[in-house]
Amino acid sequence: MRPLLLLATTTAVATALRAQPAPYDLLLRGGTVIDGTGRPGVVADVAVRNGVIVRVGDLSRVRATTELDVRGRMVAPGFINVHSHADVRGLATAANMLTQGVTTELLNADGGGPLDLTTQAAQVQQSGLAVNVAASVPFNSIWAAVNGASNTRPDSAQRARMRSMVQQGLAAGAFGISAGLDYKPAYFASVAEVTDVLGVAAPWRTFLTNHDRLTPESGFNSLVGMHETMAIGFGTSLVPVFTHMKLQGRTQGNAARILDTMHVESRRNRWVAGDVYPYLSGQTMLVSLIIPGWAQDGGLAPMRARFADPVQRARIVRESDDAIAARFTGAAGILLGDDGSTLQQYMMAQQITSPGEAVVRILETRMPSAILGFGAEADLAQLIADPDIAIACDCGAAAAQRVSHPRYFGTFPRVLGRYVREQRVLSWEAAIRKMTWLPASLMGLLDRGLIAPGMAADLVVFDSSTVMDHATYANPTAPSTGVVHVVVNGTLALREGTPTGAQAGRTLLRPTEGISRPAAMLTQTDTDQRVRNAIAVAMGTNQRFTITATGIPQRAGQWWSVTGVGGFSAREERPFLVVYDDKDPRQPGRATVSVWLDGQYSTQPLRAR
């Protein structure tokens, strides 16, 4: 069993306040608590001890070592960024993420990242972590390491090696699998090959995020790419996730169509999810999505050799022109990352009429990143409003001088300020749910994403009247405003809008009991008795367990989990987590109950089915 970090805590030493020991470490007083479920916010206090939320409600009679008056402000769970390109140096301070309210990042997006996740975890911890980090298994890295850069078919031994690498990553604590089938050389993998490799992940009951593959054969159709992601997900029993979801180029105007498809599949108990950022331009390498796949076969040197051949060059230019026209908003909407000019400006300076020819000339000697305009505001607003699509930034903790897209500083405040307060595309409660509980449920987290007793104390306090992004394409490092305080594992990481320098972040490992699931609640009616029965079975005790406060029960079919605080004597506030699993893969044919109680773990089979 992989223990949860939430309950593996050390005993904090309470300091004196008014000549009496303070019972809590941190107390947020009088804010409007939006708990992450989507339910209406309520005015309440939130008390934290040893990195865990202990009580929520009227706590006017209790005290804490640190008390913050947050009246008139909103208190939410820390935001979870499920599409992160964070770098190690950035994670040590994470100023650009903390000022957005982010407390957890999921690394290895778009299928990229190191193959050894244990080494990766050690490396990101070397300089300290200002936020929590988790990781996905990077499919693209696995494909490239085993099959190389060329468009060749892997044999049975190579596919077996890839399957083993997927299993190793999941066993090392990865939360799911990420892919970017639009990027070469994973672009060359067939649906059957991807399904064959990823099928070994089915028992883990997790997810597949994919940067959808758009091909010339489909007319660069976003809908075709999304259906391919669903086919792989359904074929492997993984939850398919459209990452940085978008309706590109000629597919603009089809948001309602793909959302309806998602909802139909979900009603068939085949949940489909997504994530989205609130911008109409993306960022990647200039070469990646414009130069045709056949021209990139084998890597950089073979590609440039094809540029030098007049016949092949003419074909590359023609097909690149088609890709730009079909996927993006034209040369004026392509901003080159190395010199800040647009592709249109380069064409004018070089007296070139073809965007494809301009791209080829640039790539003959340079390899810049590019910001690429792609979509329509009406589609974006519909994606942002949908309850099954999380908010994510396609960014990550980074040093400011390395940032060239405004999403690195603005994503989450932009949704809150622009799409909630100004445009009323969705409510505060719905937006917070899409930043917290929805991504936590998708990842299989059990102890984050909600404000409730027993949950990890990742919290954000923001001013709903001022929260807003200020970063632009011309000034991408302008900080957002309105995020006042951020708490990471019970420690203030941002206070009055300024990072404290605290490094309370942790490397999170996916618990075996965690499953990817829609964010849904169990009825509260019989939760307390369920908890008592579960603790009695798992801990092998006849002592009556007294529940001081129960958290928010989560469910997926017959599976359920709940946190809270309690103990074997009155007024104890020991954090607990209980998970009932009716299809535990470790116990075929049996249900199990697992309990974490103040650092102790036990799991027991319940019955044969």
Side-chain angles (χ1 to χ4, degrees), residues 99 178 229 383 430 492 500:
T99 52
S178 77
T229 297
L383 298 182
L492 277 165
T500 65

Side-chain angles (χ1 to χ4, degrees), residues 17-33:
L17 181 65
R18 299 175 188 170
Q20 296 292 329
Y24 300 113
D25 300 329
L26 175 66
L27 191 55
L28 303 179
R29 289 199 180 277
T32 299
V33 174

